Amino acid sequence: MALLPVAEALERLLEDAAPLQAECVALMDAADRVLAEPLLALRTQPPFNASAMDGYAVRAEDVASVPARLSVIGMAPAGRGFAGTVGPAQAVRIFTGAPLPAGADTIVIQENARDLGGGSVEVTASTVEGRNIRRLGLDFSKGDVLLEKGRPLDPAALSLAAAANHPQVSVVKRPLVAIIATGDELLPPGSDLGPDQIISSNAFGVAAAARSVGASALDLGIAPDRKEAIATLVEQAVDAGADVIVTLGGASVGDHDLVHDVLTGEGMTLDFWKIAMRPGKPLMFGRLGDIRCIGLPGNPVASLVCTQLFLKPLLARLGGRAFRQDMRQARLGAAIPANDLRQDYVRAVVKEEAGTPLATPFGIQDSSMLKMLADANGLIVREPFAPPAATGAACSVLMLR
């Protein structure tokens, strides 16, 4: 199977990927979920003409000239309006959020009024009709589209949905990613290692990346290099309702790379296998019914680079989210040699120098070196067959943070 260009691989992986079905969740549980349909106002806000200040509800004509002495005929606290009508030379003590009494057309703020006692108040500054009043429907009216389909529910959106009287909302189901690590040499963190063993690290980064685009991650643990062990975890992923199965390692061409055989034996239709990229060549993609299967390389850096390039865009689309890689232009901080037939993703540190982004590649780019990836904040993207590039040359950088 020929090496597939990165752009074509991504296009094929995203083909027919659409937001998952909708589900209703309580508003308190809907933070950062994505609306599956437009959100309409179920009520008008404010539902009445309301006072915007503490003070006195009066008729503007009675306070056109000051000082003006008025009779206080009642009180209107928030949540309990005044039932009567304000007549000539009358006022109602009112508080923020209370309904404007009938007959009144303006609010005198309390700083501009002096309580004379005995049911009288003196207004010391004139006001005009409509001052300090929030009109009926100022914010929104019943039936208005408040939030569009696809809007992530951030704090402001959640508060708006609550104000519009929605106790629950229709959101896109979170994609569920089942993660399966493979390899006899792997043990979980905290283990006592034998002389031929290493720590299994990839699943933690992949799970974090999945959650960063709104997906849920299910870590099914480590399968030893036996077909029946891998098949057992694949079946657990299917039973759990996974939308995506991610395998870590075991998808190359060695005698112990068994993932392809297991998945095809379970019914997976292979779409592609092996990408013209570095790191990440042994990437595999196929479909097991409605489940998308991605075989990531075992090398930690290759696994995480492929996660950034392929898994995150897929999960974002399944979750109804917009996703765009953060590509920027920069200058090289060190020379880079000519490239071969694979698209290269070179770990680098990107920083501003004299107002220009400068991307300095690390001298060693081995795909097992996680510390270098953790230190990098960008990947210099080198096209296939790119010629040597000198220090200061223009380059494209995929920002990681």
Side-chain angles (χ1 to χ4, degrees), residues 186-193 198-201 204 222:
L186 300 178
L187 287 176
S191 300
D192 292 326
L193 299 177
I198 60 174
I199 294 296
S200 178
S201 60
F204 298 91
I222 303 167

Side-chain angles (χ1 to χ4, degrees), residues 7-21:
E8 184 178 344
L10 180 61
E11 182 179 353
R12 285 164 61 168
L13 185 139
L14 295 179
E15 186 179 3
D16 299 329
L20 300 174
Q21 69 269 26

Side-chain angles (χ1 to χ4, degrees), residues 92-401:
V92 168
R93 182 74 166 110
I94 197 166
F95 297 88
T96 303
L100 182 71
D105 58 19
T106 192
I107 304 294
V108 173
I109 63 174
Q110 61 187 17
E111 292 84 352
N112 293 336
R114 185 165 60 94
D115 187 356
L116 300 177
S120 295
V121 64
E122 182 180 69
V123 176
T124 58
S126 63
T127 187
V128 296
E129 182 177 339
R131 182 68 58 84
N132 302 315
I133 295 172
R134 295 173 180 146
R135 293 296 181 186
L136 168 73
L138 174 66
D139 198 357
F140 52 80
S141 297
K142 184 176 180 178
D144 286 352
V145 176
L146 301 181
L147 299 168
E148 296 291 347
K149 174 182 177 180
R151 167 71 182 262
L153 290 167
D154 55 28
L158 284 169
S159 293
L160 177 58
N165 206 26
H166 286 272
Q168 59 187 23
V169 285
S170 177
V171 295
V172 179
K173 175 182 174 287
R174 287 189 188 276
L176 175 61
V177 184
I179 303 171
I180 302 171
T182 67
D184 287 337
E185 75 280 15
L186 300 178
L187 287 176
S191 300
D192 292 326
L193 299 177
D196 303 317
Q197 294 177 308
I198 60 174
I199 294 296
S200 178
S201 60
N202 297 4
F204 298 91
V206 172
R211 295 184 182 111
S212 74
V213 289
S216 298
L218 173 64
D219 182 8
L220 292 175
I222 303 167
D225 287 323
R226 295 193 304 275
K227 287 185 178 180
E228 62 273 17
I230 299 171
T232 295
L233 294 188
V234 169
E235 289 161 7
Q236 288 181 19
V238 174
D239 292 342
D243 301 292
V244 179
I245 296 175
V246 171
T247 59
L248 305 172
S252 187
V253 293
D255 292 339
H256 295 286
D257 293 330
L258 307 174
V259 169
H260 169 263
D261 291 345
V262 170
L263 286 172
T264 53
E266 294 287 331
M268 183 190 77
T269 301
L270 181 66
D271 191 316
F272 60 78
W273 190 4
K274 299 184 179 62
I275 310 299
M277 62 180 289
R278 181 190 301 107
K281 174 184 172 184
L283 179 76
M284 181 182 69
F285 174 64
R287 299 170 190 261
L288 181 59
D290 293 331
I291 303 173
R292 289 167 168 81
C293 302
I294 299 178
L296 293 176
N299 280 332
V301 174
S303 178
L304 292 177
V305 169
C306 287
T307 294
Q308 178 69 35
L309 293 176
F310 298 103
L311 181 60
K312 287 174 68 173
L314 172 63
L315 294 176
R317 185 167 293 191
L318 293 176
R321 297 174 186 272
F323 182 85
R324 186 177 181 180
Q325 300 286 6
D326 185 3
M327 296 294 302
R328 303 184 191 180
Q329 293 300 303
R331 296 286 178 182
L332 284 175
I336 291 184
N339 198 16
D340 60 13
L341 78 166
R342 290 192 280 170
Q343 188 154 304
D344 215 351
Y345 293 87
V346 181
R347 281 158 283 173
V349 173
V350 183
K351 59 183 179 180
E352 293 282 330
E353 285 200 3
T356 300
L358 192 70
T360 303
F362 289 97
I364 303 175
Q365 292 287 324
D366 189 281
S367 61
S368 68
M369 298 173 66
L370 266 175
K371 184 179 184 302
M372 186 189 303
L373 182 62
D375 290 341
N377 63 341
L379 299 172
I380 299 170
V381 182
R382 297 275 287 159
E383 297 297 327
F385 305 109
T391 301
C395 64
S396 295
V397 180
L398 169 58
M399 298 301 296
L400 299 177
R401 59 178 187 275

Side-chain angles (χ1 to χ4, degrees), residues 73-77 79-86 92-94 98-103:
I73 61 172
M75 182 178 293
R80 191 169 69 252
F82 177 73
T85 299
V86 176
V92 168
R93 182 74 166 110
I94 197 166
L100 182 71

